[in-house]
């Protein structure tokens, strides 16, 4: 009888606290400045999809950056906002003014053609000339939120008051027609009609996307209490309803509700990227508006994916599941898939939670996902990223780069936050961003907050104005002082401040303090014994995973005694096939394969 025991590399150390160790592999975390080149290549890809004659970015774009006419020549509103957002972030990392100019032009095309002058709000679909195609259709919170994404980013990078006015008009439309202020039912409605009536339903998208598109930016850029209050209320929606629904699910959370926050049992899909995005958002609120248990709930969300919806063999989160049955949704493919935007959520949520907790589980998730993403999602020949890849990094569905749900947003944002989070949260080193401020009639004091972070943990280290040293700033308050009539490009270098609780000392690499074995028989029929030999007392978890990397059983979670620890593994009711047994403690991890044949 053959043995099916395959040794898996131990997790070692590169950077640690006294109680957590993990070796980072991704070059983009070891040198976050590499993300600048990646972002630049993504932005370059989208340039041919801009219509310099009529204005606006085309929605449907093929692998090579050309208009994919087979799917139509529309220029949807959300494509303008999302790709403009990407262009702004690309400018902020590279200083290439072409990106900022295109962002402004695309947003102006969107404002001119997609804003409903009669009823307010944003119209979703535009043809090649910018003519609205669905003026009288219902409107979704998803579209109204994402319309503000590019506008908020452009205002952040330029301080242009015109775009602030547009941003506030869009926000007010959401407040007037989408926000449900009924006591006990607070939250954004999912759908209203074109005149702002018939409000109904609550959803993940109506809730969490408000944070990622405008609420967070409005509070960071203005500091006004109304935005902090709304940010807090949406955070409470995540905790009370999304996280609150998790105990009733096999995996993930419920994403669809009626207007009173009752779960819609007919909508059963849960999306791992949504679970991770919720964790990321709660982590960001924790930085700037603490007071509730944001962090424990963020960890609950992230660990749900880590334990049940993550590929522990090849890295990265899986895509979609039936929340009730736990079944993975394959959408007609023979293999499981991963999506580009969901990979981003694992990277940013992982780095965010690593910063907040110093738990290297989250660092590992971010690092492994970033490795897979950069190798298999990035199109190293033509630029930008594919929308979907198989579990192993292969072809899934098609190679189209632009569509109704994909633009220059997530690909560039992944690089933007990899650069900032990698610099500030992991490497503890400065990072430089570019801003372009035009002349104004009055003196201006502009507070710069490039990401959600405690005020005391980030300062301005230095500023260049048109490549010359500029001393008109207060580093501790991150305030630029710009006299009336002064304008130009400011290169602002931010530096993290030691918090007193993070220890980035590199320590000697050492192996994990245990050895994992399976007793015979192997293969086995329903029952076998697992043995862990520990050379010291240690807190550890021993768990069984299927070939999709999902935890199917926990054998032990607690203290391992020094010497031999034996656990009975009974798998009645499980399918025949290959499984993994893994033991983790704070020094590392070891995995073996076991084969059940019934």
């Amino acid at each position: 009888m053959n043995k099916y025991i395959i040794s898996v590399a131990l997790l070692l150390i590169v950077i640690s606290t006294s109680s957590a160790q993990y070796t980072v592999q991704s070059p983009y975390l070891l040198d976050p400045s590499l993300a600048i080149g990646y972002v630049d290549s993504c932005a370059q890809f989208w340039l041919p999809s801009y219509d310099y004659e009529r204005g606006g970015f085309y929605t449907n774009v093929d692998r090579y950056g050309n208009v994919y006419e087979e799917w139509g020549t529309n220029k949807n509103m959300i494509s303008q906002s999302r790709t403009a957002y990407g262009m702004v972030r690309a400018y902020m990392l590279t200083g290439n003014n072409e990106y900022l100019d295109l962002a402004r032009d695309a947003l102006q095309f969107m404002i001119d053609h997609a804003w409903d002058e009669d009823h307010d709000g944003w119209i979703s679909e535009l043809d090649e000339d910018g003519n609205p195609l669905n003026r009288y259709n219902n409107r979704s919170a998803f579209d109204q939120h994402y319309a503000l994404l590019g506008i908020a980013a452009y205002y952040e990078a330029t301080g242009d008051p015109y775009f602030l006015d547009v941003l506030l008009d869009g926000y007010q439309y959401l407040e007037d027609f989408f926000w449900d202020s009924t006591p006990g039912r607070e939250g954004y409605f999912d759908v209203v009609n074109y005149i702002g009536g018939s409000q109904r339903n609550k959803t993940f998208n109506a809730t969490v996307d408000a944070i990622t598109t405008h609420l967070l930016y409005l509070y960071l850029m203005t500091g006004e209490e109304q935005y902090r209050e709304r940010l807090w209320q949406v955070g409470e929606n995540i905790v009370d309803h999304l996280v609150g629904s998790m105990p009733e699910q096999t995996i993930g959370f419920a994403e669809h509700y009626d207007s009173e926050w009752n779960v819609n049992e007919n909508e059963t899909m849960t999306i791992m990227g949504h679970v991770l995005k919720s964790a990321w958002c709660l982590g960001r609120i924790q930085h700037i508006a603490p007071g509730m248990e944001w962090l424990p709930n963020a960890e609950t969300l992230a660990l749900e994916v880590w334990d049940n919806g993550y590929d522990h063999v090849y890295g990265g989160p899986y895509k979609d599941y039936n929340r009730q049955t736990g079944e993975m949704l394959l959408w007609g493919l023979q293999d499981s898939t991963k999506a580009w935007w969901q990979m981003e959520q694992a990277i940013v949520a992982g780095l965010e939670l690593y910063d907040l907790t110093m738990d290297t589980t989250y660092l590992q998730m971010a690092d492994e996902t970033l490795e897979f993403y950069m190798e298999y999602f990035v199109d190293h020949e033509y630029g930008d990223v594919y929308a979907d890849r198989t579990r192993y990094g292969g072809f899934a569905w098609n190679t189209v780069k632009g569509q109704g749900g994909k633009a220059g947003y997530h690909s560039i944002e992944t690089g933007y936050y990899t650069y900032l989070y990698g610099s500030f949260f992991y490497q503890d080193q400065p990072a430089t961003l570019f801003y372009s401020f035009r002349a104004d009639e009055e003196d201006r004091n502009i507070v710069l907050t490039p990401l959600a972070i405690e005020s005391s943990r980030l300062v301005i280290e230095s500023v260049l104005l048109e490549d010359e040293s500029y001393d008109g700033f207060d580093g501790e308050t991150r305030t630029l002082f710009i006299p009336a009539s002064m304008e130009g490009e400011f290169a602002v270098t931010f530096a993290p401040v030691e918090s007193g609780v993070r220890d980035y000392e590199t320590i000697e690499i050492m192996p994990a303090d245990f050895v994992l074995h399976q007793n015979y028989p192997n293969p086995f029929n329903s029952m076998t014994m697992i043995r862990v030999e520990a050379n010291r007392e240690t807190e550890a978890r021993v768990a069984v995973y299927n070939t999709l990397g999902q935890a199917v059983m926990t054998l032990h979670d607690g203290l391992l005694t020094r010497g031999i620890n034996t656990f009975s593994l009974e798998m009645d009711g499980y399918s025949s096939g290959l499984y993994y047994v893994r033991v983790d403690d704070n020094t590392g991890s070891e995995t073996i394969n076991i084969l059940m044949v019934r």
Side-chain angles (χ1 to χ4, degrees):
M1 193 74 69
N2 292 327
K3 292 184 178 179
Y4 291 84
I5 302 179
I6 304 173
S7 66
V8 177
L10 297 177
L11 302 178
L12 303 176
I13 309 163
V14 126
I15 194 168
S16 74
T17 64
S18 60
S19 63
Q21 304 155 6
Y22 172 72
T23 300
V24 165
Q25 300 296 321
S26 173
Y28 292 86
L29 290 182
L30 298 174
D31 181 6
S33 67
L34 294 175
I36 298 174
Y38 158 76
V39 164
D40 192 37
S41 69
C42 288
Q44 286 291 317
F45 170 85
W46 293 100
L47 297 185
S49 69
Y50 190 81
D51 184 347
Y52 290 89
E53 180 182 352
R54 286 171 290 249
F57 284 100
Y58 285 98
T59 293
N60 300 311
V61 180
D62 66 14
R63 179 190 178 189
Y64 315 104
N66 304 313
V67 181
Y68 191 55
E69 295 188 6
E70 184 177 332
W71 286 2
T73 58
N74 52 313
K75 297 173 182 172
N76 290 350
M77 176 275 294
I78 202 168
S79 303
Q80 312 313 311
S81 183
R82 286 181 160 190
T83 304
Y85 172 91
M87 290 294 159
V88 171
R89 295 309 189 203
Y91 163 74
M92 294 179 73
L93 261 60
T94 67
N96 185 339
N97 280 280
E98 180 180 13
Y99 300 147
L100 194 62
D101 291 343
L102 276 183
R104 181 193 63 240
D105 293 347
L107 292 172
Q108 192 62 60
F109 178 86
M110 183 181 85
I111 294 164
D112 290 343
H113 297 285
W115 180 258
D116 187 340
E117 295 289 351
D118 296 323
H119 305 100
D120 291 342
W122 300 96
I123 299 168
S124 301
E125 295 183 18
L126 306 174
D127 69 11
E128 189 172 22
D129 296 311
N131 298 311
L133 300 177
N134 61 354
R135 183 183 297 273
Y136 305 115
N137 286 8
N138 288 334
R139 295 178 181 168
S140 70
F142 177 84
D143 284 345
Q144 302 306 310
H145 289 328
Y146 271 101
L148 305 184
L149 176 75
I151 298 169
Y154 190 84
Y155 174 67
E156 179 185 354
T158 66
D160 189 325
Y162 167 76
F163 286 92
L164 176 60
D165 289 342
V166 177
L167 176 62
L168 294 179
D169 285 344
Y171 173 77
Q172 194 59 51
Y173 175 76
L174 280 160
E175 290 297 294
D176 290 343
F177 298 106
F178 278 85
W179 182 257
D180 184 355
S181 59
T182 306
R185 291 169 40 180
E186 292 90 349
Y188 285 109
F189 287 110
D190 186 51
V191 175
V192 307
N193 65 25
Y194 77 98
I195 60 172
S198 302
Q199 297 98 329
R200 63 183 184 274
N201 301 340
K202 310 282 172 62
T203 63
F204 163 87
N205 290 116
T207 304
V208 181
D209 286 335
I211 297 174
T212 58
T213 58
H214 63 281
L215 276 181
L216 189 71
Y217 300 122
L218 278 168
Y219 181 55
L220 291 177
M221 291 185 293
T222 70
E224 292 185 13
E225 180 63 22
Q226 61 174 316
Y227 305 124
R228 190 210 66 82
E229 180 181 349
R230 185 65 78 238
L231 190 64
W232 184 293
Q233 289 173 311
V234 174
E236 287 182 320
N237 289 159
I238 296 173
V239 172
D240 293 343
H241 303 295
L242 303 187
V243 179
S245 75
M246 291 176 68
E248 305 303 319
Q249 316 307 320
T250 301
I251 185 172
F253 52 48
E255 302 204 10
H256 295 265
Y257 303 80
D258 67 14
S259 298
E260 297 180 0
W261 284 110
N262 298 306
V263 172
N264 181 346
E265 298 296 352
N266 294 320
E267 297 283 355
T268 59
M269 184 168 68
T270 184
I271 300 174
M272 294 300 96
H274 285 174
V275 179
L276 289 166
K277 180 184 275 193
S278 301
W280 183 34
C281 287
L282 291 182
R284 292 196 283 179
I285 297 174
Q286 172 69 32
H287 273 293
I288 61 173
M292 278 192 65
E293 293 190 347
W294 308 122
L295 184 55
N297 283 284
E299 291 197 82
T300 295
L301 290 160
L303 293 175
E304 170 71 2
V305 177
W306 179 253
D307 289 340
N308 300 310
Y310 184 88
D311 185 348
H312 289 281
V313 179
Y314 295 98
Y318 291 115
K319 201 167 182 234
D320 310 325
Y321 289 83
N322 183 306
R323 61 179 170 82
Q324 295 175 339
T325 67
E327 177 186 7
M328 184 183 290
L329 305 177
L330 299 180
W331 308 116
L333 293 183
Q334 296 302 309
D335 185 23
S336 51
T337 54
K338 300 167 184 175
W340 89 108
W341 69 268
Q342 301 198 39
M343 301 293 281
E344 181 202 351
Q345 305 311 313
I347 295 165
V348 295
L351 293 173
E352 179 79 49
L353 292 179
Y354 172 65
D355 175 66
L356 289 166
T357 67
M358 289 292 100
D359 185 335
T360 54
T361 298
Y362 307 120
L363 179 63
Q364 181 180 351
M365 177 168 66
D367 180 53
E368 290 177 350
T369 304
L370 192 55
E371 276 279 271
F372 187 96
Y373 176 89
M374 289 297 181
E375 181 172 359
Y376 296 111
F377 274 85
V378 175
D379 185 342
H380 298 282
E381 185 173 1
Y382 295 105
D384 206 68
V385 302
Y386 301 109
D388 302 282
R389 305 301 276 173
T390 66
R391 179 194 182 196
Y392 311 100
F395 173 83
W397 294 300
N398 60 64
T399 60
V400 172
K401 301 278 183 62
Q403 39 154 299
K406 186 179 186 297
Y409 164 38
H410 288 289
S411 56
I412 292 177
E413 186 177 67
T414 298
Y416 179 77
Y417 281 113
T418 295
Y419 174 60
L420 293 184
Y421 285 1
S423 297
F424 299 152
F425 292 168
Y426 179 64
Q427 290 290 358
D428 193 33
Q429 67 186 26
T432 299
L433 295 175
F434 292 88
Y435 298 83
S436 180
F437 297 116
R438 295 183 179 180
D440 195 78
E441 295 179 354
E442 299 180 352
D443 295 347
R444 287 170 293 171
N445 298 333
I446 300 176
V447 178
L448 301 178
T449 306
L451 77 169
I453 191 168
E454 294 96 327
S455 294
S456 62
R457 284 192 53 208
L458 194 67
V459 299
I460 294 178
E461 184 176 78
S462 63
V463 179
L464 297 178
L465 172 59
E466 302 295 346
D467 297 325
E468 298 290 335
S469 180
Y470 181 76
D471 60 5
F473 69 93
D474 183 322
E476 290 189 3
T477 62
R478 297 193 305 275
T479 304
L480 276 183
F481 306 123
I482 305 178
S485 77
M486 176 178 282
E487 65 180 16
E489 182 174 84
F490 295 79
V492 182
T493 298
F494 299 91
V497 177
E498 292 284 351
S499 67
V501 299
R502 291 166 175 80
D503 178 12
Y504 291 93
E505 180 184 2
T506 300
I507 66 175
E508 181 183 358
I509 294 176
M510 59 183 294
D513 287 341
F514 42 72
V515 180
L516 180 62
H517 302 279
Q518 181 201 0
N519 289 358
Y520 295 107
N522 186 21
F524 65 100
N525 183 351
S526 299
M527 197 279 287
T528 188
M529 302 298 292
I530 301 298
R531 188 172 78 251
V532 181
E533 296 181 13
N535 62 23
R536 62 175 175 80
E537 226 177 51
T538 182
E539 292 286 334
R541 182 176 187 238
V542 184
V544 181
Y545 297 82
N546 61 22
T547 56
L548 298 179
Q550 299 168 306
V552 300
M553 184 184 305
T554 298
L555 298 179
H556 177 78
D557 193 359
L559 187 68
L560 286 178
T561 60
R562 186 174 183 275
I564 296 175
N565 300 259
T566 302
F567 306 99
S568 174
L569 172 57
E570 298 182 8
M571 300 194 68
D572 286 331
Y574 289 86
S575 301
S576 297
L578 188 67
Y579 292 86
Y580 303 93
V581 179
R582 194 176 80 203
V583 57
D584 297 271
D585 81 345
N586 60 21
T587 69
S589 172
E590 186 171 350
T591 306
I592 61 171
N593 295 359
I594 59 175
L595 184 66
M596 183 172 72
V597 178
R598 302 186 65 180

